[in-house]
Amino acid sequence: MEISGVISAVVIGIVIGALGRLVLPGRQRIGLLWTIAVGILAAFAGTGIAAAFGVADTKGIDWIEWLVQIALAAAGVTALERFKTRR
């Protein structure tokens, strides 16, 4: 993976992580770096899931792929927050 691909993954991860936090009610007690990490993982996993269903590359904006990524980010933020509060 080239440096531009890594930078793109980080930027998309920031956006996906932030959107994942926004759809959750209340305050999340995880930091910015955790949000970015969850967002990056959700972006990669969401792209894989969308590709498996054949909706990753469509004409225009890939709304279904974005929704899958945001849902995964929200689930990841929730899971991480529950894990951290249990400790």
Side-chain angles (χ1 to χ4, degrees), residues 38-71:
V38 168
I40 291 170
L41 291 174
F44 283 125
T47 299
I49 291 170
F53 285 108
V55 294
D57 293 321
T58 59
K59 292 183 180 180
I61 299 173
D62 298 325
W63 293 108
I64 297 172
E65 182 178 3
W66 273 86
L67 290 174
V68 170
Q69 291 171 338
I70 293 168

Side-chain angles (χ1 to χ4, degrees), residues 1-81:
M1 180 178 255
E2 295 179 14
I3 190 68
S4 63
V6 173
I7 292 170
S8 297
V10 170
V11 170
I12 291 170
I14 291 169
V15 171
I16 294 296
L19 290 173
R21 283 183 78 154
L22 284 175
V23 299
L24 295 174
R27 182 176 184 265
Q28 292 78 40
R29 293 172 185 87
I30 64 171
L32 179 65
L33 293 178
W34 281 112
T35 301
I36 293 170
V38 168
I40 291 170
L41 291 174
F44 283 125
T47 299
I49 291 170
F53 285 108
V55 294
D57 293 321
T58 59
K59 292 183 180 180
I61 299 173
D62 298 325
W63 293 108
I64 297 172
E65 182 178 3
W66 273 86
L67 290 174
V68 170
Q69 291 171 338
I70 293 168
L72 288 173
V77 167
T78 300
L80 184 62
E81 181 182 21

